[in-house]
Amino acid sequence: SESAGEGDESRDYDTETQKALEEIDACQNEIDALNEKASEEILKVEQKYNKLRKPFFEKRNELIRKIPNFWVTAFVNHPQISAILDEEEEECLHYLTKVEVEEFEDIKSGYRIKFYFDENPFFDNDILCKEFHLGQSGDPASKSTAIKWKDGMDLTKRHQQPPQQQAKNSRKRPHQPRTFFSWFTDHGDASADDIAEVIKDDMWPNPLQYFLVSDIEVDENGLGDED
Amino acid sequence: SESAGEGDESRDYDTETQKALEEIDACQNEIDALNEKASEEILKVEQKYNKLRKPFFEKRNELIRKIPNFWVTAFVNHPQISAILDEEEEECLHYLTKVEVEEFEDIKSGYRIKFYFDENPFFDNDILCKEFHLGQSGDPASKSTAIKWKDGMDLTKRHQQPPQQQAKNSRKRPHQPRTFFSWFTDHGDASADDIAEVIKDDMWPNPLQYFLVSDIEVDENGLGDED
Ligand SMILES: [Ca+2]
Ligand SMILES: [Ca+2]
Ligand SMILES: [Mg+2]
Ligand SMILES: [Mg+2]
């Protein structure tokens, strides 16, 4: 930690300046300690409200299950998510019955997005989970469930170039349009995963608004006001 | 506010779906209310710590006054601030005795940066203040103290092109290198005032580290550790 004490690298300040610098340093330490306490208290508030919100999110998920194709409709109506959905993926997402976003208990360390699926012709998993966590270096990293694709159904393989062409560009990654499952399985830059952020910060807080819009634009009046 | 009740724009959902949508909407309203309460509590924590930090910032400012050229040194050592300081401005900032950053009581609505000056050959003001606030539209706007330049000392006029050349490019703003006082007097895009943000979020929280570095790079060891 920083201190204005004398040491190898100390410059020659006069005694009064040196004393003032040490006192500034002490002040700065008090300010830093208060900043840390503020962060801790804010974290506690966030944790408290995460707990309070949880039963409503669970209730909401139960209700959503009653509505056929709720999630695929919301995803198709969301401008950024629909942009990465290809036709077969859209078909696949008809089997998506539940979405959950969970922040880790200490919030800052990460979150996970869970996709629950019915029996479907594409893969054997019931739950696909993509998870973001701060690595030991402090940088965000992601990992996701290995998808057990059924024979010939691997949707991440539909957009790859033929092997010959891949070989030609061997030093570059082959050009591959970004799709939902290529997003899900990509961990190249977890610190800039815009789709995960859109799901966590925009879709999850209010999926109803995206289910209700028929166009790409959000209709602020929703289903029409009651009065 | 959003509701899933029937209305002009209501689509034809079956009764069960319609009921589920209304219940989701009710859930969503509970979640929104909790979000609002969470924001209010976080604001209170921030206000509390702003109050607790204040005496330390005041003490720090008193101590800083004892150190000749503290602020101009810290500014010159800061990579982004030094980048906009021209020679005469640096001379002028030798008269800067105190800096204060104050968030408004409700924090979200804005903040002000106050620069206190000794009697100096450049202008008559004792305090120059640049203030950021959310306008009625919700967009940030800024304003700043009108500087009472002494005769021939207006530092914002040093970098303008000669009138002839200005006329030529009359439809564009004349090319003008960005300087400290052109920053101070510019209110063109308050939502992207990087210098104000650097002063508020980087310089103000810990100016000592910038005073202590002799190079442009921050020496993490500061003056050397005491143990
Ligand atoms: Ca030190
Ligand atoms: Ca409505
Ligand atoms: Mg669900
Ligand atoms: Mg001061």
Side-chain angles (χ1 to χ4, degrees):
Chain A
S1 66
E2 206 64 14
S3 101
E6 298 203 49
D8 310 346
E9 298 175 42
S10 173
R11 276 179 283 170
D12 289 325
Y13 295 111
D14 63 70
T15 318
E16 201 190 349
T17 299
Q18 183 65 28
K19 185 163 175 292
L21 286 171
E22 283 170 24
E23 286 175 355
I24 292 170
D25 192 48
C27 248
Q28 203 64 59
N29 289 340
E30 301 279 359
I31 292 166
D32 292 346
L34 285 170
N35 290 342
E36 204 155 309
K37 280 179 76 176
S39 300
E40 279 165 22
E41 271 188 44
I42 286 168
L43 182 64
K44 276 193 188 126
V45 173
E46 284 169 347
Q47 286 170 333
K48 182 177 93 178
Y49 280 94
N50 274 352
K51 279 213 182 76
L52 290 170
R53 275 182 292 245
K54 200 158 200 260
F56 294 103
F57 282 128
E58 281 168 6
K59 176 94 186 294
R60 194 182 72 180
N61 266 349
E62 279 171 40
L63 293 162
I64 282 174
R65 273 183 189 283
K66 296 184 184 177
I67 298 172
N69 297 320
F70 182 92
W71 284 111
V72 67
T73 306
F75 280 17
V76 164
N77 284 340
H78 190 288
Q80 282 138 294
I81 303 175
S82 73
I84 62 158
L85 287 180
D86 77 19
E87 268 176 61
E88 285 177 301
E89 287 178 331
E90 190 178 322
E91 203 189 316
C92 178
L93 292 182
H94 281 85
Y95 299 91
L96 177 61
T97 57
K98 188 164 111 171
V99 173
E100 264 175 357
V101 175
E102 296 172 344
E103 287 185 307
F104 297 163
E105 181 65 14
D106 60 353
I107 294 172
K108 281 172 197 162
S109 72
Y111 63 98
R112 62 173 67 91
I113 305 173
K114 283 159 105 173
F115 302 96
Y116 293 73
F117 283 86
D118 266 345
E119 285 287 322
N120 69 73
F122 296 93
F123 48 73
D124 292 325
N125 314 65
D126 298 322
I127 303 173
L128 298 181
C129 177
K130 187 166 185 178
E131 189 173 304
F132 296 78
H133 50 95
L134 291 182
Q136 292 200 322
S137 64
D139 293 325
S142 64
K143 57 185 178 186
S144 57
T145 312
I147 306 178
K148 296 175 205 151
W149 296 105
K150 295 187 200 273
D151 277 354
M153 300 305 277
D154 185 342
L155 296 178
T156 65
K157 298 235 165 104
R158 307 291 163 108
H159 289 275
Q160 289 182 354
Q161 294 172 323
Q164 244 189 338
Q165 216 174 326
Q166 271 191 28
K168 263 194 205 162
N169 312 335
S170 60
R171 295 189 54 194
K172 292 185 200 169
R173 284 176 70 180
H175 175 72
Q176 202 171 329
R178 205 172 174 211
T179 64
F180 184 80
F181 286 106
S182 67
W183 160 71
F184 183 80
T185 54
D186 178 35
H187 308 292
D189 189 2
S191 65
D193 192 318
D194 51 334
I195 295 295
E197 276 167 28
V198 152
I199 293 173
K200 175 172 167 282
D201 298 328
D202 188 31
M203 177 58 80
W204 176 249
N206 190 345
L208 183 61
Q209 64 179 322
Y210 292 108
F211 175 79
L212 292 177
V213 289
S214 41
D215 292 272
I216 213 97
E217 252 182 316
V218 176
D219 175 1
E220 296 219 335
N221 293 317
L223 281 173
D225 293 313
E226 275 167 315
D227 51 2
Chain B
S1 66
E2 207 64 11
S3 102
E6 298 201 48
D8 310 346
E9 297 174 43
S10 173
R11 278 179 278 169
D12 290 325
Y13 296 111
D14 62 69
T15 318
E16 202 191 347
T17 300
Q18 182 65 28
K19 186 164 172 292
L21 286 172
E22 282 170 25
E23 287 175 357
I24 292 170
D25 192 49
C27 248
Q28 202 64 60
N29 290 339
E30 301 280 359
I31 292 166
D32 293 346
L34 285 169
N35 290 343
E36 204 154 308
K37 279 178 77 177
S39 299
E40 279 165 21
E41 272 188 43
I42 286 168
L43 181 64
K44 275 193 189 126
V45 173
E46 284 170 346
Q47 286 170 333
K48 183 176 92 178
Y49 280 93
N50 273 352
K51 280 213 182 77
L52 290 170
R53 276 183 291 247
K54 200 158 202 264
F56 294 102
F57 283 127
E58 281 168 6
K59 176 96 186 294
R60 194 182 72 179
N61 265 347
E62 278 171 40
L63 293 163
I64 283 174
R65 273 182 189 283
K66 296 184 184 176
I67 299 172
N69 297 321
F70 182 92
W71 283 111
V72 69
T73 305
F75 280 17
V76 164
N77 284 340
H78 191 288
Q80 281 138 296
I81 303 176
S82 73
I84 62 158
L85 286 181
D86 77 18
E87 268 177 60
E88 284 176 304
E89 287 178 331
E90 190 178 321
E91 202 190 317
C92 177
L93 291 183
H94 280 85
Y95 299 91
L96 177 61
T97 57
K98 187 164 109 171
V99 173
E100 264 175 355
V101 175
E102 296 172 344
E103 287 185 307
F104 296 163
E105 180 67 13
D106 59 354
I107 296 173
K108 281 173 197 161
S109 73
Y111 62 97
R112 62 172 67 89
I113 303 172
K114 283 159 104 173
F115 302 95
Y116 293 73
F117 284 85
D118 266 345
E119 286 287 324
N120 70 72
F122 297 93
F123 47 75
D124 293 325
N125 314 63
D126 298 321
I127 303 173
L128 297 182
C129 176
K130 187 166 185 178
E131 188 172 305
F132 296 79
H133 51 93
L134 292 181
Q136 293 201 319
S137 63
D139 293 325
S142 65
K143 58 185 179 185
S144 57
T145 312
I147 305 178
K148 296 176 204 149
W149 296 106
K150 296 188 199 271
D151 277 355
M153 300 305 277
D154 185 343
L155 296 178
T156 66
K157 300 236 164 103
R158 307 290 163 107
H159 288 275
Q160 288 182 355
Q161 294 170 322
Q164 246 187 336
Q165 217 174 326
Q166 271 191 28
K168 264 194 204 164
N169 312 335
S170 61
R171 297 189 54 194
K172 293 185 201 166
R173 284 176 72 181
H175 176 74
Q176 204 169 328
R178 206 174 174 210
T179 63
F180 183 81
F181 286 106
S182 68
W183 160 73
F184 183 81
T185 54
D186 178 35
H187 308 292
D189 188 3
S191 65
D193 193 317
D194 50 335
I195 295 294
E197 277 167 28
V198 153
I199 294 173
K200 174 172 167 283
D201 298 328
D202 189 29
M203 178 57 81
W204 177 248
N206 190 343
L208 183 60
Q209 63 179 321
Y210 292 107
F211 176 79
L212 292 178
V213 290
S214 42
D215 291 273
I216 214 95
E217 252 182 314
V218 177
D219 175 1
E220 297 218 335
N221 293 316
L223 282 174
D225 293 312
E226 276 166 315
D227 51 3

